[in-house]
């Protein structure tokens, strides 16, 4: 079988990460071309990975008949437009999350996918994390029975720059969006109602920018399960990423990953490693795994593991959470869509 | 110094437990008399602990001038009445939780305490648990900074009989009441708003009886902290009692206690002990400690560690939670009182 | 049934501990009399536990026909003599460990027991520890198959006074003796060969006193199992008491007990409680349990769980270890007895 | 700077593993040529990694002036001869462990290295394991003070084929050799005496082949530290690889790595992942890290982290252990060399 020719649009941090994953871990795929609006240092980097073409115009990738699959890793505001162009050109598309913040534009992407029949996958990488994936497998296998309560702890080690907070769409759109997808993933059901409580406890400037930095979001699912997410922009001890699913026959819980499994005992304390601090380190395996599954879906003509509807529904929950916070009441999903 | 003479009104499971704690662990106190409306086997039991007097009428205890302190361990509906009588007779009173389900009756007890100047303590034993107490100490010492998020996992191993559910006041009053107190205890602040989500997922009959068996309750506190409690009437793996306080400088979390600290490794699994199954076993130390502190408060004429206001405020939160569940909206504490 | 009348000979720390255990936990037994060569404060203490008679001559206990059982908690050099007198007077005897350091004197005690038919138990309390007992049960139940390797970590928080080291018989007799018994207990077999390596790394004075403070002892058992014990007189982080049994079908391991099950996460570290520091705290449950089982053996006329032969064989291993250390070679048990 | 040209002699499992590590993780090195006596499938594999030359005669690699560094991954009996040839041809050499089982032949390799001045590294990969390396760092930094006791648990999931046992040199040479190096690594000192106890408890055929499958080895080091290694050819629950260093100021201990950090709680048990089963999975990071450090030593002209003397001294300890087992007595290192 021939290799799948890949083009990557946008080679910032995440685009380069995927490029490396594909080069070193996906023998079935080869990166033919990359593009970016800024090309500083891109040529050297591309050469080091054996990538032939570097463009400053992504249309060259979309117009290339030999390209089979496109990774959309550009800025969020361009995701929908580029995805649609690539889909219409018959390319399989992996689109970084979120597809967009506008429900209409997301819908257009989904419509394009449906019409064309290409593979489309959204970059909710945490579904492919070894810990969270194990939880999902155990749950699906019925080991813990029907899910009743889903608990997600998701705390960043440090708040982003205040300038980022002002344009990101806020905590629910730039950070909790992953947790909303995780809740759906583990619940195996769709949300029906969302209630969000939040405050600006970490940094007053975040509050002044109209956002919260600490939040607890409760989600009711159609199958009866209740999810609760707690977020903080700042956990001084590191990147705290835990999930627990409690069901009728038991529970399955994922602890944080650490660099080592050592225990130090001194006169002062018995101590273990802090959680891995950086998201790239913490979720590296998941980034590789989502690429693997994307290309397997193409190769075997099977469904992608995270589809457009998943991209859409996480945004809908984020919208409900934001509205709930603003209005101080639970919001039914039916009020959003 | 002379020993404190104690009378215990109601010697069911909890009254007998306190009697044993006092006899074996509190050298400063001696149980002089006990009373109960049912005296089957009480005489034998009392004799085994060296208790002199056994009555079927609690007034004999209240009228006994030699009795310094009374433990009110009778049925909930009698707590307020008996407490007031004992207080007015000048006895120090330890009253099992809840004081009552009616705010007026609770207020009358508090007024009586204020007027008489006796010591009054409510039986929120979990504050005296070694794990939760450590959390409180660490938090008070400022080690984790300002509390931002408080997470309480509180799951029973088995639902109570359906007949009990019908009269107990429901999940929030018979079970979550402890967690409401724990949230206040760890937050170090008063609740301002409560939102409850619940469902009947464990046993349909509980739902038919008008109650829920699974719940997630979010509480906003005046100091900005947000607490979230998750409850289930049935955790098949045992009695799941965990608390985490997350703050600006770190977090402190209590795991479940187990019978042993052993790890078994076989071809099938690596396994540890399940959580202690029974609440008496899990909280035995806390029951002893609350007695110690009650009698120390009497001896040293200091404040009791859990006062009437604590009994009152936990009930107020429970009322808000119930109303929230019924009306599907967050309830401000100011709507209750 | 009538209560078992108990006399305690020697009411130092350990004698008083047993007295308290019996008073509060063994309804079938009552302490009638205690004796000690020093009576400072003994009367007050005895009164607080309701003990009637306090003597400065232990013969009064042995001569008392009403006394059924005697606890020998006096100094080690008197254990054998007093035990024999008590046994010959028809008393059941619980003798603190070690019975003696002289094989002949131990043998005389065992002969006396055999002749009289009374119950005799040696104070190897650690067999009754909840963790180590669980290991034993799992092993006996065949869950981990045949035992192959037994690992015992036994480290004290602080070395004893140098004066004690000079008279105690040394590390193997005053400290490792417990581990020798534990190894036999978990192996379910008798030692055949012992090899000891040791050094004076903690405190040079210990070496100058002719002893070691750090040791690793390897024991071959008749059933093929190999045990290895590591000792230190000083673990700065607390009292380190762990056991692991590895077998053909798995392993079972006991971790240290801690005061709480809390985890503190700060910018500096993720830390847990240090092991319980003091042996009385760590082994409190085991002291109570050994008393329970001693009195049950008397009540039900069954075998005691730790017999004279157990007291003898631990001393034999200690002798072999000492000889091994001195001669720098493995010592066969047959060289000792 | 130009890339370091690498030749790999022997491309079985371990040779291929290093090839992959270099290709994907060492930008400073490029594999130019590989050789093997069996070339089945080697060409396809080499092509997939972009390796130009495939030979059936390793001399072609040694004679190639462009090759800077050689990895000796052939069978053990050829390590010394090939290493010497490569060294004399001026190549830097990475030699898989063990260099040889004969002290003279090892000495010749070390002499050749000394004479030529090339870099020489032995494949004791476990020194580069994230857990064991952390232990070493903590120990070197003085955090736990002077090392007193070193405990190494090293148990394989399954015994090798009996045919392998017959030719491997036995447990101490094919398995414990890693642990001997680990003990030296963590002790930071040289062994002075070795005592080994062993038995054939897993499989009688191993005993019939003249080997043991279960062993406990005690090693005295010149700095006073005592190491104890326990080995089994069969731990049914997986590959058990733990190390603990106990010192004057504390201890540092490494637990097993697992695939996930999840905890499953059911009515039956609370269970965690079993240790990683396969050594390649368990030690993957260490294999990559040893390559990184080898090429860094070449690039920066610094010392390699595992030198010829380390290869020699581990074999000397293995010889002492074997002799100890045979003669039933501790063996001084001075009796071997």
């Amino acid at each position: 079988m021939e290799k799948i020719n890949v083009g990557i649009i946008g080679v910032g941090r995440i685009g380069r990460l995927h490029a490396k994953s594909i080069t070193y871990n996906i023998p079935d795929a080869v990166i033919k071309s990359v593009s970016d609006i800024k090309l500083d240092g891109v040529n050297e980097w591309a050469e080091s990975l054996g990538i032939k073409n570097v463009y400053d115009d992504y249309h060259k990738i979309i117009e290339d008949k030999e390209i089979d699959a496109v990774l959309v890793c550009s800025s969020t505001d361009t995701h929908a437009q580029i995805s649609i162009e690539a889909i219409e050109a018959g390319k399989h598309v992996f689109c970084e999350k979120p597809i967009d913040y506008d429900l209409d534009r997301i819908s257009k992407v989904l419509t394009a996918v449906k019409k064309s029949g290409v593979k489309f996958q959204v970059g909710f990488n945490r579904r492919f994390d070894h810990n969270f994936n194990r939880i999902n497998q155990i749950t699906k296998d019925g080991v813990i029975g029907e899910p009743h309560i889903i608990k997600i702890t998701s705390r960043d080690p440090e708040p982003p720059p205040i300038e980022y907070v002002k344009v990101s769409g806020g905590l629910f759109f730039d950070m909790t969006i992953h947790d909303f997808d995780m809740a759906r993933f583990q619940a195996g059901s769709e949300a029906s109602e969302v209630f969000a409580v939040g405050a600006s406890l970490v940094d007053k400037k975040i509050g002044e920018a109209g956002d919260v930095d600490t939040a607890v979001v409760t989600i009711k699912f159609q199958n009866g399960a209740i999810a609760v997410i707690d977020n903080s922009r700042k956990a001084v001890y590191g990147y705290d990423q835990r999930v627990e699913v409690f069901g009728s026959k038991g529970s399955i819980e994922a602890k944080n990953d650490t660099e080592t499994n050592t225990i130090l005992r001194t006169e002062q304390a018995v101590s273990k490693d802090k959680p891995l601090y950086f998201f790239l380190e913490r979720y590296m395996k998941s980034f590789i795994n989502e690429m693997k599954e994307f290309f397997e879906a193409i190769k075997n003509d099977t469904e992608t593991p995270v589809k457009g509807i998943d991209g859409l529904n996480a945004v809908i929950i984020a919208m409900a959470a934001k509205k709930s916070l603003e209005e101080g009441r639970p919001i039914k999903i039916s009020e959003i869509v």
Side-chain angles (χ1 to χ4, degrees), chain A residues 13-24:
Chain A
R13 189 166 61 180
I14 194 75
R16 292 187 184 202
L17 183 144
H18 290 316
K20 204 177 165 188
S21 294
I22 292 170
T23 304
Y24 294 149

Side-chain angles (χ1 to χ4, degrees), chain A residues 44-69:
Chain A
E44 295 72 10
W45 166 80
E47 200 187 338
S48 77
L49 287 182
I51 298 168
K52 285 184 197 160
N53 308 309
V54 173
Y55 305 122
D56 61 358
D57 179 358
Y58 73 85
H59 292 97
K60 297 230 172 114
I61 288 176
I62 289 176
E63 287 157 11
D64 183 345
K65 304 276 183 204
E66 289 185 351
I67 297 278
D68 304 301

Side-chain angles (χ1 to χ4, degrees), chain A residues 73-90:
Chain A
C73 304
S74 49
S75 63
T76 297
D77 56 319
T78 66
H79 284 178
Q81 176 62 24
I82 296 176
S83 289
I84 290 170
E85 289 181 33
I87 291 161
E88 291 180 347

